[in-house]
């Protein structure tokens, strides 16, 4: 990539008041800017106490100045960090002085983008920088740090090398068709292909857990009025988040809360009771409930076991009053108030299109089983050392798996080496999208525009 010709600057600490505020500057103009702003160029990688001066020589602020000459910096360019007092006015004064000296205001994520373009980070590592900042739990922070340190990228690189080895094998067979040995029928070739498919599938599972850690798992509590939905929300969150009343229709809007179960971040949504209603406000609440159901990772369809017998085993679509459910919607039927019916808590071993789980929100029976069930549904296991991942990473791995399946079919069924080699090329391209080996300017723009300014 060509070297950047512009010097960029931004406030790198959050808005508001604090003990310390940081202005970050990166680019080829940093040495001259530092001399004008500080009176000298600080020694590399040493913290210097300095006054940050305006154009009239009067101090705007004072604090620590750190200079990182290229290429030994976060961005790979000359970088100057000014650590002064954390007030918005004084930080704006220092930033304005840097802009007056020739820097321009950085775009969101531009420092990380330059680190990627200068080869200091690959794309998955650069995304992990934003994921660390946005971590919603300790487990998510650890997973993001693992990605930043290259755990995810190294696994992708190992797969890429395996793909290249297969491509070499197949393309050699194509280039030397006069050889008596049929290399495309070699058992070792199919063994390597099977191993590669298994490795991609395993990485997809781990990346799926990393995506859940990053984005959270959305659980919608739905069902008829007075089944205990709001009580369940309060029990899971440990707070009186929702109003609980014996009067039907208490919840008329969508209530959201964020909790963690053994490090798994959950977005739990309580909804209005699904039933026929002539009340305009309640009808809007029911409409919003159905919209929430359509976007859920898991729907907890809650029923009152004292009035809805287990023997009926109704279908979730009938209970939800929705016959246009997404085909991949995951539903768990919860039978509440088992303390009134003496039913067993936990998952029930009964046939049906959805799992059935008995619990009592009033007594707490079955709540631990529900928590374990949600972790299993999300594919989450605490302490597995997973890395953070994004939806686009999962899509790339899905595309790689699909092209591997196609390559396998081309070889086993058709002995079409040229077509198999093209499928493997597409596998390599899909894996390359994860680390940025193959990417587009539009993709980079979408990724880095979601970052903080100053990062």
């Amino acid at each position: 990539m060509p070297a950047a010709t512009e010097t960029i600057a931004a406030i790198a600490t959050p808005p508001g008041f604090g003990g310390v505020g940081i202005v970050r500057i990166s680019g080829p103009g940093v040495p001259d800017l530092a001399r004008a702003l500080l009176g000298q160029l600080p020694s590399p990688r040493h913290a210097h106490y300095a006054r940050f001066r305006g154009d009239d020589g009067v101090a705007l602020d004072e604090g620590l100045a750190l200079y990182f000459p290229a290429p030994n910096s976060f961005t790979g360019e000359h970088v100057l960090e000014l650590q002064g007092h954390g007030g918005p006015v004084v930080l704006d004064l220092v930033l304005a002085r840097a802009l007056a000296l020739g820097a321009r205001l950085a775009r969101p994520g531009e420092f990380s983008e330059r680190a990627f373009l200068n080869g200091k980070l690959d794309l998955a590592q650069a995304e992990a920088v934003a994921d660390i900042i946005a971590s919603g739990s300790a487990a998510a922070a650890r997973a993001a740090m693992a990605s930043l340190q290259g755990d995810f990228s190294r696994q992708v690189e190992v797969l890429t090398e395996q793909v290249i080895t297969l491509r070499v094998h197949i393309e050699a067979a194509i280039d030397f068709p006069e050889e008596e040995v049929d290399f495309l029928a070699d058992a070792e070739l199919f063994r390597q292909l099977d191993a590669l498919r298994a490795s991609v599938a395993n990485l997809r599972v781990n990346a799926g857990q990393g995506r859940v850690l990053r984005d959270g798992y959305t659980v919608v509590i739905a069902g008829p009025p007075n089944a205990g939905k709001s009580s369940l929300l309060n029990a899971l969150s440990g707070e009186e988040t929702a109003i609980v009343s014996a009067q039907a229709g208490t919840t008329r809007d969508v209530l959201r809360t964020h909790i963690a179960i053994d490090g798994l971040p959950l977005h739990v949504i309580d909804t209005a009771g699904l039933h026929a209603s002539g009340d305009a406000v309640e009808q809007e609440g029911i409409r919003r409930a159905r919209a929430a159901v359509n976007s859920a990772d898991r729907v907890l369809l809650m029923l009152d076991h004292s009035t809805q017998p287990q023997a009926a085993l109704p279908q979730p679509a009938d209970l939800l009053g929705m016959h246009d459910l997404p085909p991949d919607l995951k539903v768990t039927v919860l039978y509440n108030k088992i303390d009134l019916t003496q039913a067993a808590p936990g998952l029930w071993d009964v046939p049906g299109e959805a799992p059935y789980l008995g619990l009592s929100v009033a007594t707490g029976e079955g709540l631990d089983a529900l928590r374990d069930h949600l972790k299993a549904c999300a594919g989450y296991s605490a302490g597995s050392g997973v890395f953070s991942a994004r939806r686009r990473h999962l899509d790339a791995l899905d595309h790689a798996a699909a092209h591997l399946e196609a390559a396998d079919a081309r070889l086993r069924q058709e002995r079409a080496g040229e077509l198999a080699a093209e499928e493997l090329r597409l596998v390599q391209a899909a894996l390359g999208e994860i680390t940025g080996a193959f990417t587009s300017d539009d993709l980079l723009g979408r990724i880095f525009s979601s970052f903080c300014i100053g990062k």
Side-chain angles (χ1 to χ4, degrees):
M1 299 296 298
T5 58
E6 295 180 303
T7 298
I8 58 174
I11 298 172
T13 41
F17 298 89
V20 176
I22 298 174
V23 173
R24 176 176 289 160
I25 309 167
S26 178
V30 161
D32 290 338
L33 189 149
R35 294 185 184 96
L37 186 60
L38 307 174
Q40 63 175 343
L41 183 64
S43 301
R45 294 174 297 282
H46 285 73
H48 290 263
Y49 171 76
R51 289 185 171 87
F52 315 149
R53 301 185 181 276
D55 57 359
D56 56 0
V58 175
L60 303 172
D61 194 12
E62 60 185 15
L64 297 180
L66 295 97
Y67 171 56
F68 303 90
N72 300 315
S73 70
F74 173 74
T75 63
E77 306 169 341
H78 299 310
V79 170
L80 179 67
E81 287 197 358
L82 304 174
Q83 302 182 6
H85 295 93
V89 173
V90 71
L91 285 170
D92 282 340
L93 288 172
V94 175
L95 177 61
R97 175 64 171 148
L99 300 180
L101 289 170
R104 68 162 172 82
L105 191 63
R107 302 189 307 271
E110 190 169 2
F111 290 93
S112 296
E113 181 180 21
R114 290 190 177 197
F116 165 70
L117 294 175
N118 290 326
K120 306 298 289 188
L121 300 170
D122 65 34
L123 194 52
Q125 289 175 301
E127 289 170 307
V129 173
D131 293 344
I132 289 176
I133 295 170
S135 296
S137 68
R142 287 193 294 269
M145 192 62 196
S147 282
L148 179 58
Q149 293 176 331
D151 287 8
F152 188 17
S153 301
R154 280 189 290 272
Q155 294 187 54
V156 171
E157 289 167 4
V158 168
L159 294 180
T160 301
E161 288 301 318
Q162 293 175 3
V163 173
I164 292 172
T165 299
L166 277 173
R167 289 185 65 187
V168 169
H169 189 130
I170 293 173
E171 290 177 12
I174 296 171
D175 291 340
F176 300 99
E178 69 278 0
E179 295 291 334
E180 296 182 2
V181 179
D182 184 1
F183 290 105
L184 296 182
D186 189 350
E188 176 62 18
L189 173 64
F190 291 107
R191 187 197 67 78
Q192 292 180 15
L193 185 56
D194 289 341
L196 179 57
R197 291 165 61 194
S199 296
V200 170
N202 183 63
L203 183 58
R204 174 61 173 78
V205 170
N206 291 336
Q209 180 166 331
R211 200 281 301 175
V212 168
L213 274 176
R214 177 186 180 270
D215 297 336
Y217 192 71
T218 300
V219 176
V220 172
I221 307 172
N226 278 0
K229 299 186 298 299
S230 296
S231 296
L232 178 61
L233 177 71
N234 292 343
L236 290 175
S237 66
E239 300 176 353
E240 295 298 317
T241 302
I243 297 174
V244 176
S245 170
Q247 179 180 340
T250 304
T251 301
R252 294 191 168 199
D253 204 346
V254 171
L255 299 178
R256 305 172 186 268
T257 190
H258 303 284
I259 65 173
I261 300 176
D262 292 340
L264 168 65
L266 290 180
H267 308 303
V268 185
I269 302 173
D270 181 24
T271 60
L274 299 175
H275 68 293
S277 173
D279 184 282
V281 175
E282 200 167 12
Q283 286 177 350
E284 175 60 19
I286 293 170
R287 187 195 66 78
R288 295 185 183 189
R290 288 174 172 161
V293 164
N294 279 313
S295 61
D297 292 316
R298 170 70 52 172
V299 174
L300 300 181
L301 177 52
M302 198 159 193
L303 305 175
D304 183 344
H305 193 234
S306 65
T307 61
Q308 178 74 57
Q310 173 188 346
L313 289 179
Q315 299 302 309
D318 295 329
L319 293 168
L320 288 167
M322 301 169 63
H323 298 279
D324 55 349
L325 296 175
D328 57 346
L329 183 67
K330 305 297 189 298
V331 179
T332 296
V333 179
L334 300 183
Y335 277 110
N336 188 27
K337 306 182 184 181
I338 60 170
D339 54 309
L340 303 178
T341 62
Q342 306 306 309
L347 286 170
W348 291 342
D349 185 15
V350 294
E353 66 181 48
Y356 290 79
L357 189 148
L359 79 164
S360 169
V361 177
T363 66
E365 294 176 279
L367 285 178
D368 285 341
L370 174 59
R371 294 184 181 100
D372 291 340
H373 176 65
L374 290 174
K375 288 190 293 183
C377 291
Y380 176 76
S381 57
S384 63
V386 74
F387 46 79
S388 66
R390 298 185 172 207
R391 179 73 255 174
R392 76 169 194 90
H393 301 151
L394 303 187
D395 290 342
L397 290 170
D398 288 341
H399 291 153
H403 289 301
L404 279 173
E405 291 290 339
D408 184 78
R410 298 293 188 223
L411 287 175
R412 293 184 191 273
Q413 300 171 14
E414 305 168 25
R415 291 290 190 271
E418 294 89 347
L419 297 178
E422 173 61 15
E423 295 292 350
L424 289 176
R425 184 191 68 80
L426 294 173
V427 172
Q428 186 176 348
L431 294 174
E433 290 177 0
I434 295 174
T435 59
F438 301 96
T439 189
S440 66
D441 290 342
D442 288 343
L443 175 62
L444 294 182
R446 289 197 302 271
I447 290 173
F448 290 109
S449 64
S450 66
F451 280 41
C452 305
I453 292 177
K455 201 55 179 148

